[in-house]
């Protein structure tokens, strides 16, 4: 098959890590007989330098014309003093909204070879964990009615959590389908003991159960979920939750893996075109030194193969190659604790050798 991928390398380590992912995709293309065509577009600080704006029109058009989008990271000290709407990070919100991405998939996986990176006690993570958080991305309190007013105690500010049936159904559909691609275990996280919006959320989650008889679904209150993630993370397979709860819980889950350079993400909309990116930033402190860990971006590319192109075997091939390289003891600088480490290019070579 033939796939057109828009590349948004961005700033800092962005170009180095995206180049690594491209090399891995090219190797996968060769092995499985696919053609990946890559077209680079500017985003973030480099776009500001070249065109005066963080998200040029050509970039948006190029992404919308592609089959999928791979992003590195944006931002850096050079652009930190620009006004808010001219900052590189503004481009991230712009491209997500232009592509209509309402789902954020954030896996948090503890690789057995990296157990020592985990800040939790060894007995808690003895068997590792592999969680997929499905977060609603364009609704809820971050987008609800808000404002300032005079209240009972004088000046007050308010934000509103509001979810429609349509918004809940579409994110739950993604969550059920994601569970089907994994261990068929779904936990929906809400605050239904207090919030009406959560009660509607919970009702719809269970209405949809009949369409996915293979999936075992349960509810959990968000305060309990925050505790359970550090008490017994291995109990989770797929989590589905609202924008704000997902924002908080996905950061908690990424922290317990202990390695920011390893975590990919995907943002999806109504069609198969998605935006795939590592969860870390542009790491200006190590940019251009061939020292960045490219694995989060390589795993983002593997998510693209699965979620946008439905190429499960190819996607698993990348994940397994990363596993093998880590199990063989190879580490990048961020995971080396002062010991010997491989450069960005060298670890990429090792992953390609193990495909
Ligand atoms: P960061 O994630 O870039 O870096 C935090 C620390 O982690 C740094 O010490 C960095 O060297 C290290 N690190 C991050 N990714 C790594 C990798 N792949 N390999 C090895 N080490 C890695 O966060 P920050 O320093 O707060 O932000 C730097 C810039 O990135 C800022 O301009 C910020 O706005 C931007 N940012 C962009 C995104 C994005 O593009 N999605 C996300 C977060 C931050």
């Amino acid at each position: 098959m033939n796939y057109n991928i828009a590349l948004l390398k961005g700033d800092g380590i962005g170009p180095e890590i995206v180049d690594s992912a491209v090399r891995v995709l090219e190797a996968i293309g060769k092995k499985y007989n696919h053609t990946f065509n890559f077209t680079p577009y500017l985003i973030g600080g480099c776009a500001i330098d070249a065109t005066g704006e963080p998200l040029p029109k050509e970039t948006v058009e190029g992404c919308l014309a592609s089959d999928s989008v791979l992003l590195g990271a944006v931002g850096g000290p050079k652009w930190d003093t620009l006004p808010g709407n001219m900052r590189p990070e503004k481009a991230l919100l712009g491209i997500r909204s232009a592509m209509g991405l309402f789902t954020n998939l954030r896996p948090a996986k503890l690789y057995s070879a990296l157990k020592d990176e985990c800040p939790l006690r060894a007995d808690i993570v003895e068997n590792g964990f592999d969680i997929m958080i499905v977060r609603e991305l364009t609704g809820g309190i971050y987008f609800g009615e808000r404002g300032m007013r005079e209240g009972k105690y004088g000046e007050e500010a308010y934000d509103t959590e509001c979810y429609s049936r349509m918004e809940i159904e579409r994110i739950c559909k993604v969550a059920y389908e994601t569970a089907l691609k994994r261990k068929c275990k779904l936990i929906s996280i809400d605050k239904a003991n207090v919030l009406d919006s959560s009660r509607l959320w919970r009702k719809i989650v269970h209405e949809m159960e009949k369409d996915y008889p293979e999936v075992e679904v349960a509810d959990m209150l968000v305060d309990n979920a925050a505790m359970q993630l550090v008490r017994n993370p291995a109990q989770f397979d797929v989590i589905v939750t609202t924008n704000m709860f997902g924002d908080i819980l996905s950061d908690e889950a990424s922290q317990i893996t202990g390695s920011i350079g390893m975590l990919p993400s995907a943002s999806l909309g109504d069609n198969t075109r998605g935006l795939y990116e590592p969860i870390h930033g542009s790491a200006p402190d190590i940019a251009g030194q061939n020292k960045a860990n490219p694995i989060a971006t390589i795993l983002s590319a593997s998510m693209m193969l699965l979620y946008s192109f439905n190429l499960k075997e190819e996607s698993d091939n990348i994940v397994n190659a990363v596993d093998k390289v880590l199990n063989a003891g190879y580490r990048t600088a961020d995971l080396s604790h002062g010991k010997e480490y491989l450069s960005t290019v060298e670890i990429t070579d090792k992953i390609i050798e193990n495909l």
Side-chain angles (χ1 to χ4, degrees), residues 13 73-76 89 92 260-261 277 280-286 292-293 334:
I13 59 171
V74 301
E89 294 79 1
L92 297 175
I260 193 171
E277 57 180 313
H280 58 73
S282 60
D285 51 334
I286 54 164
N293 184 349
D334 52 320

Side-chain angles (χ1 to χ4, degrees), residues 22 30 38 49 67 90 111 151 157 164 169 239 246 258 262 264 276-277 290 305 315 321 350-351 355:
V22 164
K30 214 178 230 173
F38 300 102
D49 289 350
D67 294 320
K90 186 78 186 161
Y111 287 81
S164 64
E169 279 176 355
I239 286 174
M262 297 288 303
Y276 297 84
E277 57 180 313
N290 194 17
L305 296 181
S315 172
K350 285 282 170 221
I351 292 168
L355 284 174

